[in-house]
Amino acid sequence: MTTQLPPGLQLEKLNERIMTLNVGPQHPGSGHMRLVIKVDGDYIVSCDPDPGYVHRGEEKMAEYRNYIQNIPHLERPVIHDSCNVLYPYCLGVEELLGVEVPERAQYLRVIASELNRCVYIQYWLAIYGIFLGHSTMFMWPAGDRELFIDLLEKMTGARVTHAFFVPGGIRNDVPANFEDMCLKRVNYFEKRIKEYAAIFYDNPILISRTRGAGVLSRDDAIRLGTTGSTLRASGVDFDLRKKEPYDVYSELDVHSNVLKDGDSYARSKIPWLDMLESCNIIRQALQKMPKSGSVRVKLKPNPKGGNDEVYKRVESGRGSLGCYIVSRSKPEPYRVKMSVGSFRNLICMPYLLKGEKLGNMPAVYWSLNYWPVEADR
């Protein structure tokens, strides 16, 4: 067996020195999955990710429920980004049914999806702080995300799983004072997350554990099919809100955040920059959104799609999230298949961890913006 190891390590009797570690599936450093890691001393020789411990069978369940009944359970794989999980499904069903969503509903969808993006990133960032031994960076995001959770509750009626997006628009209009409340919280939130730079991104703890760790080149990021912050941290400017705009994103000025280093530090910083951009998008949407109008097209009971198929994708908190729907002229879809960013980014984990120190594993792993429950949908 030929293994690339750091200089200075003796290679004789290599197989006798290799130790296999099972990290997870119930472990603070792996989440709801298992990592089969082989180490030689403190260095990782190989890593074999073993997902599937929280498999829910969402796609199969969708075949036994009609297009409307699928809404609540399809958002469960990523409950803290439920709007973006439902987004491509609703876009696909609307195309199958030939439904045009009212303009006000499209703007409210954009606002809800960007609020949910920030809620998810704050959750991800809080866990990253714990992974790196930075407890302050757990408390700050965990507290700040409550601002948008409360706002989404006023908007949708539910704090976490909203079931807000439905084929034809959104479930209900927002309260009369929502726009002013949303603008005030967004402005405060933007000032607040800028303070993260001093406490976290300029912190020597984060820098020493992530700079140069798990470097993913631009060519490898494309070759391995990565997406979202993992892809853009390696210098690839690809954001579906700009490249393939949906709903009213084409009417908004969306900036795509890109860094070139491709290491764990760059991958950890892109989501933070994305939160700042989400605040900018929400402000634009609040300004351009019609002040009144319908927010949903009323569908017939048990609507049926034609004998057709459709694929729609959006830019979620983890990257490109697509939904492929096959219709056979029945109230229930014949097939629903989701392509999620977490599963696509998982493939590069073995490449990035090989040769790293075992202590760097959490920093590299969580920088990939991988959410096990989404991958195990």
Side-chain angles (χ1 to χ4, degrees):
M1 181 178 66
T2 302
T3 305
Q4 295 294 329
L5 294 175
L9 291 181
Q10 302 299 319
L11 295 179
E12 57 267 21
K13 298 182 180 179
L14 176 63
N15 291 331
E16 297 180 6
R17 301 206 322 258
I18 299 298
M19 178 184 294
T20 301
L21 303 177
N22 287 289
V23 183
Q26 298 176 6
H27 188 277
S30 69
H32 312 293
M33 69 173 297
R34 180 175 72 141
L35 299 175
V36 183
I37 296 178
K38 293 184 177 182
V39 296
D40 182 2
D42 196 32
Y43 288 91
I44 297 174
V45 175
S46 67
C47 172
D48 183 15
D50 183 22
Y53 288 90
V54 286
H55 179 58
R56 295 167 178 262
E58 295 287 348
E59 297 162 331
K60 191 63 179 178
M61 284 194 293
E63 300 174 14
Y64 298 92
R65 291 160 175 80
N66 65 38
Y67 289 106
I68 307 301
Q69 291 171 332
N70 279 326
I71 293 296
H73 77 85
L74 279 177
E75 67 181 355
R76 261 43 185 190
V78 194
I79 58 176
H80 35 47
D81 195 14
S82 65
C83 290
N84 282 303
V85 172
L86 289 178
Y87 218 150
Y89 173 79
C90 290
L91 292 173
V93 173
E94 286 156 3
E95 182 170 319
L96 288 172
L97 301 180
V99 174
E100 185 174 349
V101 178
E103 186 180 13
R104 178 173 170 84
Q106 293 186 39
Y107 276 102
L108 287 172
R109 278 181 170 183
V110 167
I111 293 171
S113 68
E114 295 302 326
L115 289 173
N116 245 170
R117 189 187 313 277
C118 292
V119 168
Y120 166 75
I121 292 174
Q122 291 286 83
Y123 180 91
W124 170 86
L125 191 55
I127 295 179
Y128 204 46
I130 288 294
F131 274 18
L132 299 178
H134 197 309
S135 58
T136 303
M137 211 52 215
F138 170 78
M139 300 301 296
W140 280 21
D144 291 341
R145 70 195 289 264
E146 291 293 324
L147 292 169
F148 282 177
I149 289 178
D150 289 342
L151 196 60
L152 283 164
E153 182 182 16
K154 295 181 183 300
M155 188 178 190
T156 69
R159 284 178 57 80
V160 182
T161 52
H162 313 294
F164 188 54
F165 289 18
V166 295
I170 55 177
R171 185 158 40 83
N172 54 265
D173 207 342
V174 294
N177 63 340
F178 172 79
E179 295 177 31
D180 292 337
M181 185 188 312
C182 183
L183 185 59
K184 289 179 181 178
R185 295 205 176 192
V186 166
N187 290 337
Y188 173 79
F189 184 78
E190 185 178 45
K191 295 177 183 178
R192 177 67 172 151
I193 58 179
K194 287 181 179 179
E195 298 175 2
Y196 292 4
I199 194 69
F200 194 55
Y201 290 101
D202 295 338
N203 192 295
I205 295 176
L206 176 72
I207 295 174
S208 63
R209 295 192 64 180
T210 58
R211 285 285 193 191
V215 177
L216 181 66
S217 68
R218 174 187 172 90
D219 291 341
D220 285 343
I222 296 173
R223 179 177 61 87
L224 295 173
T226 60
T227 183
S229 56
T230 300
L231 181 64
R232 288 184 278 123
S234 295
V236 182
D237 186 0
F238 188 83
D239 189 319
L240 287 168
R241 294 173 295 178
K242 288 182 61 178
K243 301 296 183 181
E244 299 176 13
Y246 43 96
D247 274 354
V248 292
Y249 274 109
S250 58
E251 306 296 324
L252 306 174
D253 182 17
V254 179
H255 173 71
S256 181
N257 296 298
V258 180
L259 296 175
K260 297 181 179 180
D261 293 335
D263 57 6
S264 297
Y265 183 84
R267 288 191 295 272
S268 72
K269 197 167 186 177
I270 289 290
W272 174 69
L273 296 172
D274 286 347
M275 286 194 293
L276 294 172
E277 183 57 26
S278 290
C279 293
N280 176 48
I281 293 172
I282 292 170
R283 273 195 294 266
Q284 294 182 60
L286 289 171
Q287 183 179 6
K288 295 185 177 183
M289 179 176 65
K291 302 306 177 184
S292 62
S294 175
V295 295
R296 185 175 62 176
V297 174
K298 188 174 181 180
L299 304 177
K300 297 179 181 180
N302 292 323
K304 300 178 182 180
N307 198 22
D308 204 354
E309 58 187 49
V310 65
Y311 178 76
K312 292 291 184 180
R313 59 179 181 171
V314 302
E315 188 74 22
S316 73
R318 281 92 35 228
S320 174
L321 199 162
C323 189
Y324 172 65
I325 307 172
V326 179
S327 171
R328 290 294 182 263
S329 301
K330 293 182 178 181
E332 303 82 18
Y334 176 77
R335 187 76 174 94
V336 173
K337 176 66 177 177
M338 301 175 73
S339 171
V340 297
S342 293
F343 195 80
R344 291 176 58 180
N345 290 334
L346 177 64
I347 193 173
C348 66
M349 191 184 301
Y351 294 87
L352 300 185
L353 287 178
K354 185 176 181 180
E356 290 287 341
K357 290 185 177 181
L358 183 61
N360 287 344
M361 183 273 292
V364 176
Y365 160 55
W366 203 242
S367 73
L368 295 175
N369 209 344
Y370 174 76
W371 180 238
V373 189
E374 180 189 56
D376 296 349
R377 64 206 176 280

